[in-house]
Amino acid sequence: IRRQRQMCIREALRVTDAAYALSCSSGVIYKLIRTGKVEYYKRGRDYFITYTSLVAYAERMASHKKL
């Protein structure tokens, strides 16, 4: 079970790391969490955004900007 938890953390980003990756503030990431636009899980008081969800969100935003 411990190994599964470690693998999950590697496949997810903390809020500050996700904000850095998207070049936005952590407040924007918390808003994405609240509105359900990205998948996340909470461990203790920390939120972790899944990597695949973050990439999918970035791709959606990139396609909207092209229009």
Side-chain angles (χ1 to χ4, degrees):
I1 294 175
R2 178 176 239 176
R3 186 177 176 122
Q4 281 182 324
R5 288 182 189 166
Q6 289 175 345
M7 289 180 70
C8 288
I9 291 173
R10 288 185 201 145
E11 296 172 1
L13 298 170
R14 290 178 187 254
V15 170
T16 53
D17 297 329
Y20 181 78
L22 293 181
S23 299
C24 65
S25 69
S26 58
V28 171
I29 302 299
Y30 283 116
K31 187 173 181 179
L32 294 174
I33 290 170
R34 278 195 314 274
T35 57
K37 294 185 178 181
V38 292
E39 294 177 13
Y40 73 95
Y41 61 92
K42 190 173 179 183
R43 185 171 178 201
R45 66 180 192 165
D46 295 326
Y47 289 90
F48 293 90
I49 296 87
T50 61
Y51 181 76
T52 54
S53 173
L54 194 66
V55 169
Y57 176 78
E59 288 174 351
R60 285 194 309 267
M61 291 301 101
S63 69
H64 285 286
K65 287 183 181 182
K66 288 181 183 178
L67 300 175

